[in-house]
Amino acid sequence: MKLKISAIVVLIGLSLSALGLGRLLNREETNSFVPDGKLYSMPEMKKKPRKFWTCTGVVSIDNRNSINETETMQGLQYHLLCQSLAGLTNRMVEEGKSDVAVWLYDHGGKASYKVSKQALEDMGICEQGVQNGLELACSDYESVDGLRVQLRGFFDGYVLTDVKNNPESGIVASVASHVYNSIIVDVRDKEYFEKAGYSMKYDATHKTTLDAWHEFKDKCSNEALVIMPVQTGELREFAIKNNLFVLNLNKKQGDPRSGQNVDLLEEVLAWLQPNVPVYGWEQGVSEDQFVARISKSGHPMIPCDWSYNHSLTSLLYTERQQPVQAQSFNPKLIDFDKKRNYVSFFLSDGDNIQWMMQDFATGFYDVLEAIEVKMSYGLPVSTLSMMAPAQLHNLMNLRRDECSVLEMLGGGYYYIDTYSQNNNRNDNLKIAAERLAVSMRRYHVGLLGVMAMDVKSVASKEAYQTFVDANDRLEGIIALQYSPYAGGGGEVFWVTNKNGYDIPVITVRYSLWDRIHEREGSPDFIASKLKAEAQVESFSAICVHAWSRFEGNAHGAAAARLCAGKLDGRFEVVNMQELVWRLRMSRHPEQTLEYLNKIF
């Protein structure tokens, strides 16, 4: 019995019990190529604290990165203090020296931090109280239930910065803090902390990031890197807790003309272990200027520049990988006899961790327009499962039955055709693909979105094959090209998996984007292009640029709805999973029928 398209229940998560594939799909092992102990690629806080302090006055405060504030609890100076306080305290927990951690309070009340904080409490970790950074650093507290909750006395002193006159001093201090076990104090607040009994252990006021590299390279872990602009405090807690090097590309905030640490970046990237993550972002430069270097060196970029608390949001993540079971999607219920020009819209930038921790759910994902256009969403499933598993589970539970989910963009942001081209590309790409396959199988995600500098290149085609070889349950790949996303023009490549089934690689045909290009433009423009190319049957992947706004401030699924509303009866909007299965049946009907009858 065939089901009308309007009634199809579509979801990327497959119900194992309904399909009878529990034994196969719950299997998480990779091929032996992945080195032992390297299945997970991100640092993990493995020691569970008994309590945590909540530190106020940082997250979602508008002036948190201002260098012109004069009050002790304002601006970047206070932000760096609190980040260093949290990083050092959480490191002491990891080292078994304390049972009390520090959580930075989100004054914006975002759901991502609420569910992540609740996850701590669900693990039996109790909140000790709410204090500001000055109180936590300088006050005395009595023990609670025999547990030392006082932080004062755990730190050896302070590292001195002058963020107003030397922007790089804050970067240097972020490294020196974990080397000297010392909180970060600016010259603005030096007198306050010395009166409280702190003494200076390192003077960063005239130091550069290059100085930090020469002095502290051998004191830093090469299992990850943080790249952040000079005038920020974000991610310092995570860097300090994990003994990571912190690097800025621009020597002055948002101004590449004032000098850059390009040569240093190249040296640090070569020093890192293969396939380890680079966290953060840089501002004031085109992303390909630094992401390209990171990709070529064989590391995934993890965009997370405005997110917080990742030592605690990632706490014991290897034990918290709990797939969300969902209703089944059965391709056999599709009316394959019906021929239309099928269009599927999906949202860009799904690799962005900080967006997932900000307004992604409320502004783009959990919206009614998504149902109308059967919107498909890229999510950083593999990376978010390590960095903030509670928020991943929250997002998976918010999935709409009508919508699809893609793994985006392969375990971080990198270009598949340049990945690790400077260092053992074949082996490193294979490791990245096999790690990704484990996560996709665990969370029952069958679609993969990737980015390439040239989606039609030989190197890209080699990468497609690598991803397909690693995952025999991969249903299809959606390929974006770096500027323009629709550089592939909708061309489809076919890659045969190890079981002999042909898997489609669908390049983006057009992008909804508020700029003018032959394959990018407004809803009116894209609809007119699609109608001019209409056939008896066609399959079009349309990328919706997340940050573009159109008439009435329409964005995301609302922008897709504007475009869909301008199509005629020759077209039908489906989600990406249905588009993939319709394409497979249209081009390879015999093997697709064989597969469906065998599996479903």
Side-chain angles (χ1 to χ4, degrees):
M1 175 181 176
K2 295 175 181 176
L3 194 65
K4 291 183 179 179
I5 300 302
S6 60
I8 293 178
V9 177
V10 181
L11 192 63
I12 193 70
L14 299 179
S15 169
L16 304 186
S17 60
L19 300 182
L21 295 176
R23 183 181 62 82
L24 284 175
L25 296 186
N26 278 330
R27 187 182 61 190
E28 294 183 357
E29 69 271 15
T30 61
N31 297 330
S32 59
F33 193 82
V34 176
D36 291 342
K38 296 297 182 181
L39 178 59
Y40 297 104
S41 58
M42 294 187 169
E44 177 186 18
M45 187 167 177
K46 297 183 178 181
K47 181 70 179 298
K48 186 172 73 171
R50 289 170 56 189
K51 293 180 180 290
F52 64 91
W53 285 106
T54 294
C55 180
T56 63
V58 175
V59 183
S60 301
I61 302 298
D62 290 341
N63 70 359
R64 67 188 182 278
N65 289 324
S66 169
I67 59 174
N68 298 314
E69 308 301 321
T70 58
E71 298 295 325
T72 309
M73 285 181 57
Q74 299 290 321
L76 178 60
Q77 297 90 335
Y78 178 70
H79 190 180
L80 287 171
L81 165 70
C82 294
Q83 290 271 352
S84 64
L85 181 94
L88 293 172
T89 303
N90 294 338
R91 186 175 68 163
M92 286 189 292
V93 173
E94 186 78 338
E95 293 173 346
K97 299 176 181 177
S98 174
D99 286 307
V100 180
V102 169
W103 173 271
L104 300 176
Y105 178 70
D106 171 36
H107 292 264
K110 296 178 182 62
S112 60
Y113 294 108
K114 287 182 179 178
V115 300
S116 296
K117 187 176 180 182
Q118 183 61 49
L120 298 179
E121 296 174 355
D122 292 343
M123 286 187 278
I125 308 169
C126 301
E127 183 178 48
Q128 169 58 31
V130 180
Q131 301 277 266
N132 64 52
L134 302 183
E135 292 169 330
L136 289 175
C138 302
S139 296
D140 295 320
Y141 302 93
E142 294 183 358
S143 296
V144 177
D145 299 327
L147 179 68
R148 172 178 172 160
V149 298
Q150 177 176 312
L151 303 185
R152 177 187 174 93
F154 274 134
F155 315 119
D156 294 338
Y158 70 83
V159 175
L160 187 65
T161 62
D162 186 356
V163 296
K164 193 168 184 178
N165 294 302
N166 177 16
E168 287 196 325
S169 67
I171 298 290
V172 177
S174 300
V175 182
S177 175
H178 67 71
V179 173
Y180 286 92
N181 189 43
S182 296
I183 57 175
I184 299 175
V185 172
D186 194 75
V187 291
R188 184 195 71 179
D189 307 318
K190 178 176 182 288
E191 183 178 353
Y192 179 95
F193 283 92
E194 290 194 337
K195 286 182 178 179
Y198 283 89
S199 60
M200 185 177 69
K201 297 301 179 182
Y202 182 82
D203 186 351
T205 55
H206 296 93
K207 298 286 187 174
T208 67
T209 306
L210 184 60
D211 292 332
W213 176 244
H214 290 156
E215 292 183 43
F216 304 131
K217 171 184 176 180
D218 62 341
K219 302 291 195 305
C220 294
S221 167
N222 65 351
E223 294 183 355
L225 172 69
V226 168
I227 292 181
M228 286 293 289
V230 287
Q231 198 173 314
T232 60
E234 286 81 359
L235 295 184
R236 304 312 198 268
E237 176 275 328
F238 187 74
I240 291 168
K241 184 266 174 188
N242 292 296
N243 303 324
L244 304 181
F245 192 74
V246 181
L247 186 147
N248 54 296
L249 187 59
N250 295 331
K251 295 184 178 182
K252 290 187 177 181
Q253 181 72 16
D255 184 9
R257 295 171 298 179
S258 296
Q260 294 184 310
N261 290 310
V262 173
D263 291 341
L264 177 57
L265 173 61
E266 296 278 8
E267 183 176 348
V268 174
L269 290 173
W271 165 79
L272 293 174
Q273 293 184 24
N275 294 300
V276 300
V278 177
Y279 299 92
W281 203 250
E282 181 59 90
Q283 299 168 357
V285 295
S286 176
E287 61 192 57
D288 62 320
Q289 293 301 305
F290 61 99
V291 177
R293 288 184 168 87
I294 294 167
S295 179
K296 290 177 182 178
S297 66
H299 305 289
M301 182 80 210
I302 312 297
C304 57
D305 42 334
W306 306 128
S307 57
Y308 292 81
N309 291 313
H310 283 304
S311 292
L312 291 177
T313 64
S314 66
L315 176 66
L316 297 172
Y317 73 72
T318 57
E319 300 176 11
R320 297 165 60 196
Q321 302 300 312
Q322 300 175 357
V324 178
Q325 297 298 326
Q327 291 175 286
S328 64
F329 168 69
N330 190 339
K332 292 177 72 174
L333 299 178
I334 296 175
D335 181 359
F336 287 112
D337 292 334
K338 183 166 62 170
K339 307 300 180 184
R340 293 285 189 276
N341 291 276
Y342 292 103
V343 178
S344 183
F345 297 96
F346 76 100
L347 194 64
S348 74
D349 290 71
D351 59 301
N352 195 324
I353 293 290
Q354 68 91 10
W355 188 27
M356 301 294 127
M357 303 297 289
Q358 300 284 336
D359 67 344
F360 170 76
T362 56
F364 295 85
Y365 187 57
D366 189 20
V367 295
L368 293 177
E369 295 92 339
I371 298 174
E372 298 180 48
V373 293
K374 300 179 173 64
M375 193 74 180
S376 296
Y377 292 93
L379 294 180
V381 177
S382 61
T383 52
L384 196 58
S385 72
M386 292 181 276
M387 294 185 70
Q391 173 61 356
L392 174 62
H393 299 157
N394 178 45
L395 292 177
M396 297 296 256
N397 284 326
L398 290 173
R399 289 179 298 180
R400 304 281 189 170
D401 286 356
E402 295 82 3
C403 302
S404 292
V405 170
L406 296 77
E407 166 68 50
M408 206 81 170
L409 293 160
Y413 180 15
Y414 55 91
Y415 309 115
I416 60 169
D417 49 345
T418 68
Y419 188 76
S420 201
Q421 69 178 29
N422 294 346
N423 179 32
N424 199 9
R425 170 174 165 81
N426 289 339
D427 287 353
N428 288 335
L429 184 60
K430 188 173 182 180
I431 290 173
E434 292 185 349
R435 284 174 174 168
L436 181 67
V438 172
S439 174
M440 292 183 67
R441 290 196 294 260
R442 179 185 296 124
Y443 286 95
H444 315 140
V445 177
L447 302 180
L448 171 63
V450 297
M451 179 81 80
M453 298 301 288
D454 179 359
V455 294
K456 300 180 182 180
S457 68
V458 172
S460 287
K461 293 175 181 178
E462 291 172 347
Y464 303 145
Q465 187 69 62
T466 300
F467 286 114
V468 169
D469 285 345
N471 187 358
D472 61 3
R473 293 183 292 277
L474 185 59
E475 298 174 15
I477 297 175
I478 312 302
L480 298 87
Q481 184 162 297
Y482 181 76
S483 193
Y485 285 173
E491 188 171 349
V492 177
F493 308 105
W494 293 91
V495 182
T496 305
N497 70 14
K498 292 181 177 179
N499 296 323
Y501 296 108
D502 293 309
I503 308 302
V505 178
I506 306 171
T507 67
V508 175
R509 187 178 297 275
Y510 290 106
S511 296
L512 282 172
W513 202 310
D514 59 359
R515 66 183 185 186
I516 299 175
H517 185 273
E518 62 177 330
R519 290 196 169 273
E520 297 173 339
S522 68
D524 280 336
F525 174 76
I526 301 303
S528 67
K529 286 285 191 179
L530 290 171
K531 287 188 287 187
E533 299 169 353
Q535 305 171 27
V536 173
E537 185 178 42
S538 64
F539 308 89
S540 300
I542 309 298
C543 182
V544 181
H545 181 236
W547 317 123
S548 290
R549 298 293 188 271
F550 302 98
E551 54 189 271
N553 196 38
H555 59 277
R561 183 177 63 176
L562 286 177
C563 184
K566 300 177 187 301
L567 300 175
D568 54 40
R570 297 172 295 172
F571 292 84
E572 184 165 332
V573 175
V574 298
N575 68 38
M576 194 63 73
Q577 193 171 22
E578 184 175 341
L579 185 83
V580 164
W581 282 106
R582 284 189 172 278
L583 176 60
R584 290 178 68 167
M585 182 64 79
S586 175
R587 301 296 186 261
H588 299 281
E590 292 185 1
Q591 64 167 249
T592 302
L593 279 173
E594 175 191 341
Y595 180 80
L596 294 179
N597 289 330
K598 178 180 179 181
I599 301 299
F600 294 88

